[in-house]
């Protein structure tokens, strides 16, 4: 065996880790917590909402911190959107607990504290698995779910944050430039 073959298999010399490297902020992070469940409404219009708090330094997300309130049906919407439009395997949601919704139960059913906590943990696992997937991070529905106060269920599905949409939303491209970009520059002067 030649000397060059031996040199190629040796470990690279890396610099020793110091305290700043070991205990400093991670280079990339995405933290999502589900907390503060609140039950609202009366009778059949009663439901539980959860706060969804996100913190990140990933450049794909428009906001670095957000906190929105979501209910179970919003998580179902997100799951359905991802299954329909993305190429990822979407993990299951915690169950609907149909037996807990039957009338004449001796307990609070789906509004019992232990069930709400169990569901909260399941929803937190679900959203962290999804949001941690690099392909899911590009989906517009995930961004809307995590960062917008209200979910626009009439949105156009697809990928999020193209360069053109970022420039438009920041105001760096005007309406006149959009016409130029679309190849419609031969409009009369009065239209521009």
């Amino acid at each position: 065996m030649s000397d060059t073959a031996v040199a190629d298999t040796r470990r690279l010399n890396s610099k020793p880790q110091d305290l700043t490297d070991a205990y400093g902020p991670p280079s990339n992070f995405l933290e999502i917590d589900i907390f503060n469940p609140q039950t609202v409404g009366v009778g059949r219009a009663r439901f539980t909402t959860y706060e969804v708090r996100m913190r990140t330094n990933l450049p794909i997300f428009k906001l670095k911190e957000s906190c929105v309130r979501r209910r179970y049906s919003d998580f179902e919407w997100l799951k359905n959107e991802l299954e329909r439009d993305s190429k990822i395997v979407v993990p299951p949601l915690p169950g609907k607990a149909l037996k807990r919704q039957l009338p004449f139960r001796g307990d609070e059913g789906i509004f019992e504290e232990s069930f709400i906590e169990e569901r909260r943990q399941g929803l937190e696992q679900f959203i962290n698995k999804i949001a941690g997937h690099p392909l899911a991070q590009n989906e517009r529905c995930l961004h809307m779910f995590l960062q917008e106060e209200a979910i626009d269920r009439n949105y156009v599905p697809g990928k999020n944050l193209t360069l053109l949409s970022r420039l438009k939303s920041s105001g760096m491209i005007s309406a006149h430039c959009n016409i130029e970009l679309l190849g419609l520059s031969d409009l009369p002067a009065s239209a521009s």
Side-chain angles (χ1 to χ4, degrees), residues 6-7 13 18 33 45 49 55 65 75-76 86-87 91-92 99 130-131 145 148-149 160 168 170 177 191:
V6 172
N13 291 331
D18 63 13
D33 299 312
T49 64
R55 290 187 41 216
E65 289 188 27
F75 286 87
E76 287 181 312
S86 72
K87 304 221 180 332
K99 287 183 181 177
I130 294 222
F145 180 88
E148 294 182 19
E149 204 58 45
N160 198 37
K168 283 181 192 174
S170 69
C177 292

Side-chain angles (χ1 to χ4, degrees), residues 152-173:
D152 176 10
R153 295 180 191 257
N154 297 319
Y155 84 109
V156 177
K159 304 299 177 220
N160 198 37
L161 303 174
T162 63
L163 177 60
L164 183 59
S165 67
R166 279 187 183 182
L167 292 173
K168 283 181 192 174
S169 66
S170 69
M172 295 181 74
I173 293 181

Side-chain angles (χ1 to χ4, degrees), residues 61 70 74 77-86 88 90 127 130 135-148 150-153 155-160:
F61 289 97
R70 298 287 182 246
D74 296 328
W77 170 84
L78 176 63
K79 181 180 187 308
N80 292 336
E81 290 298 304
L82 289 170
E83 286 175 337
R84 183 183 66 177
D85 295 319
S86 72
I88 67 169
V90 181
I127 195 63
I130 294 222
L135 293 177
Q137 291 173 3
N138 289 313
E139 295 295 329
R140 188 174 294 144
C141 58
L142 178 65
H143 287 252
M144 193 181 335
F145 180 88
L146 291 172
Q147 298 189 315
E148 294 182 19
I151 294 175
D152 176 10
R153 295 180 191 257
Y155 84 109
V156 177
K159 304 299 177 220
N160 198 37

